Amino acid sequence: HLHTLDLSDNQIKELPSKIQMNQLHTLILRANQLNSLPKDLQCSMLKTLDLSENQIERIDLSICKFHTLERLM
């Protein structure tokens, strides 16, 4: 199972909707061009989410569904 996914420095502007990565513990999206997260992102085991160095101005309350989230950067 994939536990860590590092997509840093890829000039990603948006993530596709309905992503399901339920075994993922760490998602690193540092240094892209994201301005939001899809509301239907499904990562039920996510512990670390790195959104640093993006263009995100605010985070939707949908992030609260990640009950296992320990680190948000």
Side-chain angles (χ1 to χ4, degrees), residues 7-72:
L7 296 171
S8 298
D9 299 302
N10 279 292
Q11 300 180 352
I12 298 170
K13 293 183 179 182
E14 66 180 332
L15 295 175
S17 61
K18 298 189 179 183
I19 294 176
Q20 293 185 1
M21 296 179 284
N22 291 318
Q23 299 299 316
L24 196 66
H25 292 181
T26 303
L27 178 56
I28 304 168
L29 295 164
R30 186 187 58 74
N32 282 290
Q33 297 174 8
L34 294 169
N35 59 24
S36 66
L37 285 178
K39 291 181 181 182
D40 51 2
L41 182 68
Q42 295 182 19
C43 301
S44 61
M45 300 300 290
L46 196 64
K47 293 182 179 185
T48 302
L49 177 58
D50 186 350
L51 299 170
S52 61
E53 298 180 45
N54 276 285
Q55 300 169 4
I56 297 175
E57 293 181 5
R58 61 190 157 122
I59 296 177
D60 192 276
L61 287 177
S62 63
I63 193 100
C64 296
K65 68 183 171 197
F66 300 128
H67 300 291
T68 57
L69 191 64
E70 297 172 357
R71 288 185 73 186
L72 175 62

